[in-house]
Amino acid sequence: MTTELRPALPATAVRAWRSPWLSFAARRLGRFAVSLWVLVTASFLMIHLVPGDPVRAALGMNAPASVVEARRSLLGLDDPLPVQYWHYLRGLVHGDLGVSVSSNEPVSSVIGQRLPATAQLAVLAFLLVLLVAVPVGVTMAVATRGGRRRGAELGFAVTAVVLAAIPEFLLAVALVYVFAVNLHWFPVAGQQGPLSFVLPVVALAVGPAAVLARIVRVELLAVLGQDFVRTARAKRLRARRIYLRHALPNAVTATLTLAGLMLTSMVAGTILVENVFAWPGLGAKIVSSILAKDYPMVQGIVLVYGVGVLLVNLVVDVLLGLLDPRSTIREA
């Protein structure tokens, strides 16, 4: 009786297979794939969970029955549910999100026209949050470390809490009334050049900047009390180098996690802010589509928002793994 000997795997292949980074990537991609499938399935079922006939609701009660049946056939709602799901998945692979009930336009083309305006608002607001929150948080941490300047600490905390508690749409209305209607410094509504970005971006950024500044301060204070910072001071290193090169990078993990969550919330916050400023983005479109009961359009926009949130979370997880490899090894 002979036994067949299988060739052993090379040592480099074994080490690569057992690599914590490979396990980390597999876990994150697996979570992303499952979350994406749940999102796609939920967006597909959205139109089927609406009470009554969604096509009749969109076209109105006075629409002829022949028009309603033709639109149902165009949307594929007469097919069995598994067939509809298969056609929906196949359409997504080819970039086909369906046809608008109210305008007969392809949903993907409408989203392609309006997505850049929403992305511009969200990205500019996020950059403004980082440019304001990180310097303010670092300055307050340095100024109030060791229990110093209690008055400044209390004033900062109260101001941050108040600003974070103001809803974006309410702040947007106040900004329009003061700076557009009364002072005439900025356009009231619409996308009319660079000045039209100022008020909606500020309305989106004020609350998150206040929250992130508090987190930066708390995390940096915790780092400033650690032994390696005291060692750096004992070596008489410059204060700027201690704070920016040694302390701040060690406080960035929690800050980055919260910043990623804020970016996703900003994308959702654009819905109300865009309606206040009549901004030609996805937020204004989804509200008008909900009012018009244009369910295929709502379905497509919700899917785009959800995919954006999943991608932001995936990027944040990867950045955290790169900045703090120890957490990646522990998880693996």
Side-chain angles (χ1 to χ4, degrees):
M1 182 176 180
T2 60
T3 58
E4 181 180 357
L5 297 178
R6 297 181 179 179
L9 291 175
T12 55
V14 174
R15 287 195 298 268
W17 179 255
R18 296 178 179 177
S19 171
W21 287 106
L22 184 61
S23 175
F24 173 81
R27 286 174 179 269
R28 289 298 181 266
L29 291 177
R31 292 177 186 176
F32 178 80
V34 172
S35 301
L36 183 61
W37 174 78
V38 172
L39 173 65
V40 169
T41 304
S43 66
F44 165 76
L45 293 175
M46 180 187 303
I47 195 171
H48 298 278
L49 297 178
V50 177
D53 188 351
V55 177
R56 170 65 70 179
L59 296 179
M61 300 305 296
N62 297 324
S66 59
V67 176
V68 175
E69 290 300 324
R71 187 57 57 88
R72 286 183 59 86
S73 177
L74 178 64
L75 296 176
L77 296 179
D78 295 331
D79 298 329
L81 194 62
V83 176
Q84 294 183 44
Y85 187 57
W86 167 249
H87 290 165
Y88 182 68
L89 294 178
R90 188 175 61 181
L92 291 181
V93 173
H94 294 89
D96 182 11
L97 298 177
V99 180
S100 170
V101 175
S102 58
S103 63
N104 288 328
E105 294 180 278
V107 173
S108 57
S109 65
V110 175
I111 292 176
Q113 294 169 6
R114 290 179 169 264
L115 180 59
T118 298
Q120 287 173 353
L121 278 188
V123 172
L124 289 175
F126 181 69
L127 293 177
L128 181 60
V129 167
L130 295 181
L131 292 175
V132 172
V134 175
V136 170
V138 171
T139 301
M140 292 306 302
V142 174
T144 59
R145 63 184 178 88
R148 299 182 299 178
R149 298 181 177 89
R150 293 288 186 179
E153 179 182 354
L154 180 61
F156 170 74
V158 172
T159 303
V161 169
V162 171
L163 292 178
I166 302 176
E168 291 95 342
F169 73 93
L170 187 60
L171 181 60
V173 172
L175 291 175
V176 169
Y177 179 75
V178 174
F179 296 103
V181 176
N182 289 337
L183 298 178
H184 303 287
W185 289 358
F186 304 100
V188 175
Q191 191 175 3
Q192 306 171 14
L195 287 179
S196 62
F197 285 85
V198 175
L199 295 183
V201 167
V202 171
L204 283 172
V206 167
V211 175
L212 188 60
R214 291 191 65 191
I215 297 299
V216 171
R217 175 185 172 273
V218 170
E219 291 296 321
L220 192 58
L221 284 176
V223 173
L224 291 177
Q226 295 184 7
D227 292 337
F228 73 91
V229 176
R230 288 192 288 266
T231 302
R233 289 200 185 99
K235 293 181 178 179
R236 299 184 180 275
L237 298 179
R238 291 183 178 182
R240 179 181 299 179
R241 184 176 182 181
I242 293 175
Y243 297 138
L244 299 182
R245 188 170 180 178
H246 295 279
L248 185 58
N250 286 277
V252 77
T253 53
T255 303
L256 183 60
T257 302
L258 184 61
L261 296 176
M262 286 182 174
L263 180 57
T264 59
S265 68
M266 283 179 188
V267 174
T270 56
I271 296 175
L272 296 176
V273 172
E274 285 183 9
N275 283 273
V276 172
F277 292 97
W279 195 261
L282 290 179
K285 186 61 179 178
I286 192 174
V287 172
S288 63
S289 300
I290 291 173
L291 296 177
K293 298 180 180 180
D294 189 351
Y295 297 112
M297 185 65 70
V298 176
Q299 193 178 41
I301 296 176
V302 168
L303 183 61
V304 170
Y305 274 120
V307 171
V309 171
L310 293 179
L311 288 176
V312 169
N313 290 335
L314 179 63
V315 171
V316 170
D317 285 342
V318 173
L319 291 177
L320 287 175
L322 295 175
L323 292 173
D324 188 10
R326 293 172 298 178
S327 63
T328 305
I329 295 174
R330 285 196 300 268
E331 181 179 333

